[in-house]
Amino acid sequence: MSRNQSYIYSNVQDQSEMSAKQIVDRILRSGKMSRQDHILLTSTVFNKRDVHEGERRQINRVFNHIQTGQLKLVNW
């Protein structure tokens, strides 16, 4: 892979992580996660073949907040 191709791949990966992070940040700020939020997050993360470490961390943030009672599930 050329240096330019590597840079482009890195940018795409960063953008997908940022999208997942933005969704997770919005969910955690609200303190609630709806079924629609869940679908948006999972489709954003899992529409690709590989889930990388940054996206796993974002998903784990949601799970941690659910487990500690800091995040409510609504409209399920």
Side-chain angles (χ1 to χ4, degrees), residues 20-38:
K21 183 179 184 326
Q22 289 172 339
I23 295 166
V24 168
D25 287 345
R26 183 182 52 78
I27 291 169
L28 297 182
R29 266 194 315 273
S30 74
K32 302 173 189 170
M33 185 168 81
S34 69
R35 182 96 170 128
Q36 289 175 324
D37 292 329
H38 177 265

Side-chain angles (χ1 to χ4, degrees), residues 3-63:
R3 181 176 176 204
N4 192 32
Q5 286 174 319
S6 177
Y7 176 75
I8 291 169
Y9 178 76
S10 176
N11 279 343
V12 169
Q13 194 172 26
D14 291 345
Q15 287 174 359
S16 68
E17 181 177 338
M18 183 177 288
S19 295
K21 183 179 184 326
Q22 289 172 339
I23 295 166
V24 168
D25 287 345
R26 183 182 52 78
I27 291 169
L28 297 182
R29 266 194 315 273
S30 74
K32 302 173 189 170
M33 185 168 81
S34 69
R35 182 96 170 128
Q36 289 175 324
D37 292 329
H38 177 265
I39 291 167
L40 177 62
L41 180 60
T42 55
S43 65
T44 298
V45 172
F46 294 119
N47 272 341
K48 300 179 305 178
R49 291 181 186 234
D50 295 317
V51 177
H52 61 87
E53 186 60 32
E55 292 165 328
R56 281 193 193 108
R57 281 194 305 269
Q58 296 305 317
I59 295 167
N60 285 337
R61 287 177 64 200
V62 172
F63 287 143

